[in-house]
Amino acid sequence: SAKTNTVAVGSWGSGWNDGGIPAAAWIGYISNMRVVKGTAVYTSNFTPSTTPLTAVSGTVLLTCQNAAFSDNSSVNNALTPVSGATVTGNNPFQAGYYSNYFEGSGDWITTPNVSAFDLSSASVNFTIEAWVYNSNNPTFNGIIGARQNQQAQGWCLYIHTNNTLYM
């Protein structure tokens, strides 16, 4: 049966924390966060988008691109900003587009606990993409995750101190 996962944008999972603050909190900006389940959107060399991302078939989350905390996918997840997550005009495009800023001390965005975010099956193709700007480099800097505990159950996308991207 499919597992249900709460996703945290700006952390590597809302279930693993240190004193109530998710471990590996993001410090910086995230724009155009898209999670596509069931499709590997890019299967060869590609050029990153120069325009805001749109929902494609299988998109289960499309956020960090409006003047409000919202999900532009057909799933339309209810997003909950936690603590000091803010909307800002800093983005990779031009005026009129947005990103979310996370200052790393307990702010992130959560989604409902739904099976759409279960990416644990080895047979599930998926794509996670976003524009990110890291303004600090702690040991682990979580971009997005559904990691439920310290035993690494779930999944996450993060940058390590050596500036390497990990999944």
Side-chain angles (χ1 to χ4, degrees), residues 68-117:
F69 295 101
S70 61
D71 176 14
N72 297 317
S73 76
S74 62
V75 177
N76 195 26
N77 294 289
L79 303 181
T80 304
V82 177
S83 191
T86 58
V87 174
T88 176
N90 293 342
N91 69 81
F93 310 113
Q94 66 267 5
Y97 296 100
Y98 300 90
S99 68
N100 293 135
Y101 178 73
F102 304 91
E103 41 89 274
S105 65
D107 53 343
W108 65 94
I109 302 168
T110 62
T111 67
N113 195 359
V114 296
S115 62
F117 297 116

Side-chain angles (χ1 to χ4, degrees), residues 127-143:
T127 301
I128 299 173
E129 62 184 314
W131 173 85
V132 298
Y133 179 83
N134 182 353
S135 59
N136 193 0
N137 198 17
T139 304
F140 297 100
N141 211 335
I143 299 168

Side-chain angles (χ1 to χ4, degrees), residues 3-58:
K3 298 175 188 171
T4 59
N5 291 301
T6 298
V7 168
V9 177
S11 174
W12 69 6
S14 61
W16 183 13
N17 63 61
D18 180 12
I21 298 172
W26 182 256
I27 302 172
Y29 301 90
I30 299 175
S31 182
N32 282 269
M33 170 62 65
R34 181 167 69 181
V35 179
V36 180
K37 182 177 178 181
T39 303
V41 175
Y42 308 103
T43 58
S44 61
N45 292 340
F46 66 94
T47 301
S49 180
T50 58
T51 59
L53 298 176
T54 59
V56 297
S57 178

